[in-house]
Amino acid sequence: MAALFDPLIEVAGRSPKNKLYTQKIPKERQSEQFKRFREIEVDSTHAVPLPNGGFLAKLKENDYEFLVFSAPGLNSPEVRNLEDALTGVEEFHQVEFDETMFLFCCFELKGLLNLRLKYRNPELADDILGLADAESYSGHSIYDLRDYFNPVYAFRVDANNKRCGANITEYALTLLVHQPNLRSPIVDRHAGDRISALMGKTACGTDNLFQALTSSQWKYVFLDLYRCLESLYFFPWIRELKGALDSEENVYSLRESSWSALGWSPKEDNSIKKLFELVDDKVFQDDASEVDKFSSLKPDSSPPSSYAERLYSVRNTMVHHADRQGRSPNPASAADYRQLCLFLCAVLEAIHRDYSAELS
């Protein structure tokens, strides 16, 4: 009960002299509610904040999986469009965010389920709490209390749905793909759509894509896209080994064998050069031409390794305090990082298109 009233108490700056509670409900409904409290499960690893002040959480109740999300930064048409996408494209079933879910989330998701802006007015919050000071007080209405908080939307994900069992960042990424205004305000529509289109593609982990789309600065968007590329550093070496051995083993199994038997791992600077040798020349002719960091390179005369070196040096300025070669390249601006992000999208798209069968 404290979790339900604490946000209002914090805003009002005081607690009523009488105990706060909700209005009584019929015993049979109370019994059903208590039963459901024991059945619903959620933990902090199954909840994520969204850039606009909202959140997404995954609840489990018996054999069902539920998504609950709040998006206070969206207007009514944007919410309806997102609901249509989730019930249509994703085949989720919209359900009521009922009183049991509401009470449960107040307790388990503290700091994520927030008061509407209107009720963050101290005088209004104090008036709401002040009801408890009256002699006739019989508890606050649970439905009124629910309306004091930002609206929450709930969807059931059935066991036969392709998304059922997904981790929370995959679900969150799904929301960001369908509703651009849930993404970080720094990520413009064009770049956001390019990053979103990488969902499900080779080496593009949902955690990295979600973090890229919700980052507060372009350099962090770049770093998460770079991590997708980094996960492929093994590929050109193991691909060559597979060919030399005339092996039918897939590249991941062969990589695991090399790691466990030889302690082998690819060296970063050489690996990105070797990986870029596999990338379609069209990426360097078209997408690289927009990147200021590549302005002195010429697609017809500069080898792919030249682009790899420039990209790797930018990455090193982010992750290393000191440059190992004694050189410190000019730091990239936000605009530079955005250009590099679009280039990375093109590289990842090309690798998926040309090598997804080998990497599946």
Side-chain angles (χ1 to χ4, degrees), residues 106-155:
C106 281
F107 181 71
E108 294 289 350
L109 302 177
K110 293 174 184 174
L112 291 179
L113 184 56
N114 295 315
L115 292 171
R116 293 176 190 257
L117 187 60
K118 173 182 177 180
Y119 295 104
R120 290 193 55 76
N121 179 305
E123 292 182 3
L124 192 52
D126 189 63
D127 287 345
I128 293 167
L129 295 173
L131 296 174
D133 292 330
E135 289 184 11
S136 60
Y137 181 62
S138 60
H140 282 73
S141 162
I142 185 69
Y143 300 108
D144 285 345
L145 285 165
R146 186 177 61 179
D147 287 343
Y148 299 150
F149 288 80
N150 287 323
V152 179
Y153 309 92
F155 295 82

Side-chain angles (χ1 to χ4, degrees), residues 50 57 59 63 73 80 87 122 140 153 158 170 197 229 267 302:
L50 298 173
L59 310 182
D63 296 328
R80 285 197 298 272
T87 54
H140 282 73
Y153 309 92
D158 290 344
E170 181 175 329
L229 190 71
K267 192 176 178 183
S302 300

Side-chain angles (χ1 to χ4, degrees), residues 196-207:
S196 297
L198 295 173
M199 185 178 182
K201 287 184 165 55
T202 304
C204 297
T206 54
D207 284 1

